[in-house]
Amino acid sequence: MIKRNIKVFDNQTRANEFLLDLLTNKIKHKLIKNIGLPTGSTPIEFYKLFANKVNTEKIDVSEITTFNLDEYYRLDPKDEQSYHFFMFKHLFSKIKFKDNYFPKSAKYDSQIKAAGGLDFLILGVGNDGHIAFNEPGSLKSSQTRIINLKPETIQANSRFFKSIDEVPKKAITMGLDTIFKAKQIVVLAFGPAKKKALQSFVNSTKFNSQLPISALLNHPNTMILTDQKL
Ligand code: GLP
């Protein structure tokens, strides 16, 4: 029997507040050493709330190491479109973790393993059901690797660039296996554009490579937070 833990909230802020309580309680109880973090427009409000709470309540994050999910391939970390830049702007400039890592090569998996694995992982989801940059077609056993982005993803992400031609065609991403090994996963999926992928997830009973988020179906501790009635 597949158990899906999907929590529907009135709006995105309510969902973010739920995640904020969950995560900060775990941090206060020293239950998190390594955390996986996403980019995209989805986590921006959460990062703002999180940074505010950490600073206001003086929550100690100095022993926590962050591992980002993905990065555009060969984009300078100083480039304003890079995920390095995004994370610095929205979170790392506001609160200081022990270390902040991004995937650079296949060694990322052994680096995460050597650090003790991911205790907590926050994920967004692409309109086509991709997680991190694991595009449709990704294997459940996939590891950190370079991936060719699908035209739909390049199109969707072009809203952050001056023109679609500037969007990198490749990215480096944590694999589905890397993601599945996280002890606890919370997926954030807001707005009607995500509804189709979520509905397909609800209707899936086994992994389907065309719907990468379905890799989470048998994960022992995954929760999806959404504002969409499914
Ligand atoms: C990109 C990122 C994903 C993210 C997705 C959704 O493709 N690689 O990690 O989940 O976009 O982005 P948004 O939150 O902007 O909808």
Side-chain angles (χ1 to χ4, degrees):
M1 251 287 272
I2 295 177
K3 281 201 303 189
R4 296 180 195 80
N5 188 355
I6 300 176
K7 295 191 189 300
V8 181
F9 294 83
D10 287 344
N11 56 53
Q12 175 168 357
T13 304
R14 290 273 172 275
N16 285 332
E17 286 165 351
F18 175 88
L19 174 58
L20 190 64
D21 276 350
L22 179 73
L23 181 60
T24 51
N25 277 331
K26 282 184 178 271
I27 293 174
K28 285 176 187 169
H29 288 95
K30 307 262 176 237
L31 296 172
I32 294 180
K33 202 170 146 236
N34 301 313
I35 183 167
L37 297 174
T39 53
S41 42
T42 303
I44 292 176
E45 186 195 43
F46 175 73
Y47 288 154
K48 194 173 172 197
L49 296 172
F50 183 49
N52 276 346
K53 192 170 166 90
V54 165
N55 286 327
T56 315
E57 297 184 15
K58 300 196 181 357
I59 298 171
D60 183 13
V61 296
S62 66
E63 292 304 312
I64 297 177
T65 301
T66 70
F67 292 88
N68 259 81
L69 289 167
D70 46 14
E71 177 57 288
Y72 287 115
Y73 182 60
R74 289 198 170 147
L75 202 58
D76 192 311
K78 292 193 195 77
D79 191 302
E80 289 191 16
Q81 308 299 348
S82 75
Y83 287 171
H84 280 76
F85 190 92
F86 173 98
M87 290 307 297
F88 184 77
K89 178 175 171 191
H90 293 288
L91 195 63
F92 300 158
S93 58
K94 299 177 183 169
I95 54 178
K96 300 287 171 230
F97 295 94
K98 183 175 180 192
D99 273 312
N100 305 122
Y101 293 112
F102 288 78
K104 290 194 173 63
S105 72
K107 288 192 191 122
Y108 205 42
D109 299 295
S110 39
Q111 187 188 353
I112 293 171
K113 197 173 170 198
L118 297 174
D119 302 297
F120 201 91
L121 173 60
I122 303 172
L123 283 179
V125 58
N127 298 349
D128 60 0
H130 73 240
I131 48 177
F133 266 134
N134 291 283
E135 293 279 35
S138 294
L139 298 177
K140 184 137 189 322
S141 57
S142 55
Q143 307 289 311
T144 298
R145 68 205 184 286
I146 295 166
I147 187 151
N148 293 316
L149 299 179
K150 298 269 184 202
E152 303 77 46
T153 300
I154 293 172
Q155 176 68 47
N157 290 0
S158 68
R159 67 189 193 278
F160 300 113
F161 292 78
K162 281 198 202 88
S163 87
I164 194 164
D165 301 332
E166 287 182 19
V167 187
K169 309 289 178 286
K170 290 176 190 244
I172 178 151
T173 182
M174 257 189 216
L176 293 178
D177 184 61
T178 328
I179 289 171
F180 193 82
K181 287 195 172 111
K183 291 186 193 89
Q184 180 167 13
I185 300 175
V186 176
V187 183
L188 300 176
F190 306 120
K194 307 293 164 74
K195 192 165 179 170
K196 194 164 155 247
L198 291 182
Q199 268 168 341
S200 306
F201 175 79
V202 170
N203 295 327
S204 304
T205 50
K206 60 179 174 31
F207 174 66
N208 162 12
S209 70
Q210 292 311 307
L211 185 73
I213 191 176
S214 65
L216 305 178
L217 276 172
N218 289 311
H219 188 273
N221 193 357
T222 285
M223 204 187 276
I224 296 186
L225 311 186
T226 184
D227 60 354
Q228 297 297 299
K229 302 225 171 1
L230 302 173

